[in-house]
Amino acid sequence: MDELAPSMEDNRRAATARLNFLTLDPVRQQDVRPPILASWVRSRRWKLPADRITLPYVADPDLDLPLTRSARPVLQQLHENLDGQPISVILTDRTGMVLQRLTADTQLARHLDKVSLAPGFSYAEEFAGTNGIGTALEGGGPMHVFGHEHYAEDLEDLACAGVPIKHPVNGKTIGAIDLTCWRKDAGSLLMALAKTTAENIRVALLKDSSAREVALLQAYLQSSRRLSDMVIAVDDDLLLMNARAGRSLDAADQRAVLGYAAEILARGTTEAIVAELPTGAWVRIMCRPVESGGDVRHGGAGIIQVSPHSAGLDISRPASGHRPPQRPVLPGLVGRSAPWLGSSREVDNACRAGQWVVLTGERGVGKVALARAAHHQNNPAGLFHVVDAARVGDGLAAELKEELGDDSLQALVIRHVERLDADGVDATLEALYDVLERRPAEPPWIALTFTGEYSDTTDLGELLSLFPLTIEVPPLRHHIEDVRELVPYFLNQLSHGELTCGPDTMQQLMRSAWPGNTTELCQMLKQVVVRRRRTGVISPADLPARAQVISRRSLSQLEALERDAIIRSLIANEGHKGRAAKSLGMSRATIYRKIHDYGIQPPQA
């Protein structure tokens, strides 16, 4: 049934279902295929506009790829066989970026140019919404999308059939083949033809695969069957990992193991080493280069065998500086994501070495908290002070002189150095040079924080020259998974353990962009405790209005007031959009549009 082209009645039902979905009205299951509805939901979560299509573009995509080389004769033969039919043959990479398009029909080609279905543009679902290319790649299998099933209305006149292309050696998706035509011309053979083309490309790739790749795959399969250890196969552009390695090694540990393996393979040795991974686990690593036709490829392809090991046993340790430090647990910090732990590790190492640093990042990301935690980790009894260049003003010189004149001071953070004027920079330089002269052997550890919000800031070149290292602290949206730990941590402080966060509320908090970062999250939870709830479980309705949306852009003050009014009305009317619109004196169509524009997630009626 899925292979059949839709009838006019199917198109009509799909159009109605799409309109209901976009206006947040109920969608009948019989009116839309489940994979399409699931894709619409993802498109909404990605906050994509339904009335237009805007795609990222790469001006000069790399076409010298094994995929394009192997696919070229297959696509050319298909294009010639279609003989002027209004069907476009499209090849993309694994991200959905169009690499090649062959279209014989002039009118269709012009329309595809208009909707940017052309080389260099990405049709990944996160950018283009529901479509044959992006939805096939997202789901990992064949997908056809007809007419009104597309999320973006610019595509509703088209029908497309997309099929992921799997690498013949490792089975990973490396691209997609898509056949696109006018909706009215869609036939039941479109998907069958796309599947056949994808298989022909896979066969061509297999013929073109190097002997080393085949030898590596055979060695990997033999090792995985024979050994109970973690097994990884690696080449310049190939990585295979058995299930145990995938379960046992997180992303940071995988990177560390691959780094050690690269050194072992480069040396051409088979001697095992014992290494400590970022998680603190100790493992035994042994590598075996892969032979192909009698040629041993040192420094490239190899099989990596990893097994748990007890620390301290007398086996060779890594000789180079590649060994990653143990994952730090700095006092007073919350979060276990890789970006956050990476910054923590760098600040901790700098503090331990007494190296002065500049901490950059957006407001509220935790720059001062990182510096304080690193100091307390390495010198828990030492004095730690903070000077705010934005707050002190004319008194900055006196405060710096007082702080740095105290020889018991062990660490100092100077915040907001981007706010310094020329006199402030001179005063700071004078104080820093003075402390270096007075305490040359053991100067205090000093960190500057730089928000980088001001483009017309005073020249800080000479000041920054005293700080050889800059560490960037990631914004919360780049380690959003840490919200799961930050929320209970803050709530425990604010409510003494009497308030928790419900799962729906946690999901809502994790969907926010948090422009104010961790500080904004803490302030919002404090607002909930002060104004709304002090015990029990926080529900989405307890959150302030600004947490009820997924922001697409910065709003003016008037827009923010209107957005908050709509949210309050929806809550008061239990999610009923018609009653909410009436209470606000606006039409139903207007409130639908504004709900979409503001990214409001209304409660279910």
Side-chain angles (χ1 to χ4, degrees):
M1 183 67 179
D2 270 357
E3 297 295 333
L4 298 178
S7 65
M8 291 183 63
E9 178 61 21
D10 293 331
N11 280 318
R12 187 192 65 77
R13 287 201 304 266
T16 301
R18 178 178 175 275
L19 179 61
N20 289 340
F21 180 83
L22 295 176
T23 56
L24 303 180
D25 281 335
V27 176
R28 297 192 309 170
Q29 291 185 355
Q30 62 267 33
D31 288 344
V32 60
R33 293 184 288 139
I36 297 297
L37 183 57
S39 176
W40 287 355
V41 171
R42 292 193 298 269
S43 300
R44 174 186 285 167
R45 287 176 180 168
W46 277 310
K47 306 181 286 292
L48 297 175
D51 58 347
R52 64 187 183 278
I53 190 165
T54 304
L55 307 176
Y57 175 68
V58 176
D60 189 21
D62 182 13
L63 299 180
D64 187 22
L65 303 170
L67 171 62
T68 53
R69 290 193 296 268
S70 299
R72 189 174 292 117
V74 176
L75 300 184
Q76 188 61 44
Q77 181 64 44
L78 174 62
H79 178 60
E80 292 173 1
N81 290 341
L82 290 173
D83 191 24
Q85 295 296 314
I87 298 177
S88 182
V89 181
I90 298 163
L91 178 71
T92 79
D93 68 7
R94 61 184 178 84
T95 70
M97 184 181 70
V98 178
L99 300 173
Q100 187 176 4
R101 189 189 80 189
L102 299 174
T103 311
D105 184 78
T106 304
Q107 185 180 2
L108 179 60
R110 281 199 299 264
H111 186 75
L112 296 183
D113 287 341
K114 182 179 178 181
V115 297
S116 301
L117 187 46
F121 289 95
S122 175
Y123 256 74
E125 196 181 65
E126 63 179 300
F127 303 122
T130 307
N131 73 93
I133 296 168
T135 306
L137 290 171
E138 187 71 26
M143 188 68 201
H144 59 235
V145 181
F146 295 103
H148 298 289
E149 292 179 335
H150 289 92
Y151 189 77
E153 65 183 37
D154 287 351
L155 305 177
E156 62 186 8
D157 290 332
L158 300 173
C160 49
V163 180
I165 300 170
K166 308 289 186 178
H167 193 284
V169 176
N170 61 26
K172 292 185 177 180
T173 298
I174 57 173
I177 184 69
D178 174 78
L179 301 182
T180 294
C181 65
W182 296 112
R183 181 184 69 198
K184 61 182 177 61
D185 297 330
S188 59
L189 295 179
L190 195 66
M191 176 56 74
L193 186 57
K195 289 180 178 178
T196 301
T197 304
E199 175 60 20
N200 290 341
I201 294 173
R202 192 193 70 83
V203 172
L205 279 164
L206 182 60
K207 292 179 180 178
D208 295 339
S209 295
S210 68
R212 183 172 64 173
E213 286 180 326
V214 175
L216 182 64
L217 175 62
Q218 293 174 346
Y220 167 75
L221 293 175
Q222 291 174 358
S223 298
S224 295
R225 286 193 293 264
R226 182 169 46 86
L227 300 172
S228 60
D229 292 330
M230 295 170 269
V231 177
I232 302 173
V234 63
D235 196 357
D236 294 336
D237 56 356
L238 184 66
L239 178 66
L240 302 173
M241 185 180 306
N242 68 358
R244 184 175 182 187
R247 290 192 304 265
S248 304
L249 302 173
D250 69 6
D253 284 356
Q254 289 175 21
R255 287 193 295 270
V257 168
L258 292 176
Y260 292 136
E263 296 175 2
I264 297 172
L265 291 170
R267 295 197 303 267
T269 179
T270 58
E271 183 182 10
I273 66 168
V274 166
E276 184 182 9
L277 301 180
T279 56
W282 287 83
V283 294
R284 181 178 183 270
I285 302 173
M286 186 170 65
C287 296
R288 175 167 56 87
V290 169
E291 294 187 20
S292 176
D295 178 22
V296 180
R297 306 285 185 143
H298 295 314
I303 299 297
I304 309 168
Q305 179 185 344
V306 184
S307 57
H309 202 82
S310 299
L313 295 187
D314 188 19
I315 297 182
S316 298
R317 304 288 179 86
S320 73
H322 197 287
R323 176 180 180 271
Q326 183 177 358
R327 176 175 292 188
V329 183
L330 298 181
L333 295 185
V334 177
R336 306 293 296 179
S337 65
W340 178 248
L341 288 174
S343 296
S344 303
R345 185 181 302 117
E346 288 188 83
V347 177
D348 183 34
N349 290 341
C351 182
R352 183 182 300 115
Q355 188 176 34
W356 290 7
V357 297
V358 178
L359 304 179
T360 66
E362 298 174 7
R363 287 185 300 170
V365 295
K367 298 184 286 291
V368 175
L370 273 175
R372 180 181 289 110
H375 168 70
H376 288 166
Q377 174 89 331
N378 294 286
N379 191 359
L383 290 179
F384 176 90
H385 288 171
V386 179
V387 172
D388 193 338
R391 179 175 50 83
V392 174
D394 294 338
L396 176 64
E399 181 164 350
L400 284 174
K401 184 175 181 180
E402 179 181 352
E403 292 287 358
L404 294 175
D406 182 357
D407 288 345
S408 64
L409 180 71
Q410 297 300 311
L412 177 70
V413 172
I414 305 175
R415 301 179 65 195
H416 300 135
V417 294
E418 71 278 357
R419 306 283 188 91
L420 291 173
D421 57 17
D423 291 339
V425 172
D426 290 341
T428 303
L429 281 168
E430 182 179 351
L432 294 179
Y433 282 130
D434 180 66
V435 76
L436 288 173
E437 291 176 2
R438 288 190 304 101
R439 298 170 59 180
E442 294 184 357
W445 181 59
I446 298 179
L448 305 181
T449 74
F450 188 89
T451 304
E453 295 178 339
Y454 302 92
S455 59
D456 56 349
T457 185
T458 305
D459 183 13
L460 300 174
E462 185 178 357
L463 175 61
L464 297 181
S465 68
L466 296 177
F467 295 79
L469 179 64
T470 296
I471 299 172
E472 184 173 357
V473 183
L476 182 56
R477 63 183 176 275
H478 290 175
H479 57 110
I480 196 68
E481 62 269 34
D482 286 337
V483 168
R484 294 190 182 277
E485 293 187 36
L486 287 165
V487 169
Y489 173 78
F490 288 141
L491 288 179
N492 186 60
Q493 291 182 321
L494 295 168
S495 67
H496 308 291
E498 298 180 0
L499 187 62
T500 60
C501 182
D504 292 345
T505 311
M506 183 66 76
Q507 286 298 110
Q508 185 69 35
L509 294 175
M510 291 186 67
R511 286 198 294 263
S512 175
W514 296 113
N517 296 294
T518 306
T519 298
E520 182 187 2
L521 174 62
C522 181
Q523 290 173 345
M524 179 177 289
L525 294 174
K526 185 176 181 180
Q527 185 178 346
V528 171
V529 172
V530 171
R531 299 184 181 180
R532 180 73 178 182
R533 186 179 297 277
R534 282 155 290 283
T535 60
V537 180
I538 299 175
S539 69
D542 292 326
L543 298 176
R546 67 183 186 277
Q548 308 271 353
V549 300
I550 303 173
S551 299
R552 290 186 175 87
R553 54 186 172 85
S554 298
L555 302 181
S556 68
Q557 185 176 11
L558 184 61
E559 288 175 323
L561 290 173
E562 182 181 54
R563 176 204 62 191
D564 294 354
I566 293 173
I567 291 169
R568 288 192 295 269
S569 182
L570 286 168
I571 292 174
N573 290 281
E574 299 179 332
H576 193 286
K577 294 174 284 297
R579 291 198 298 266
K582 185 176 180 180
S583 69
L584 293 169
M586 62 177 61
S587 69
R588 193 177 183 188
T590 299
I591 199 171
Y592 286 151
R593 178 172 55 81
K594 291 186 179 294
I595 285 172
H596 177 268
D597 288 346
Y598 292 142
I600 297 171
Q601 303 293 303
Q604 296 298 315

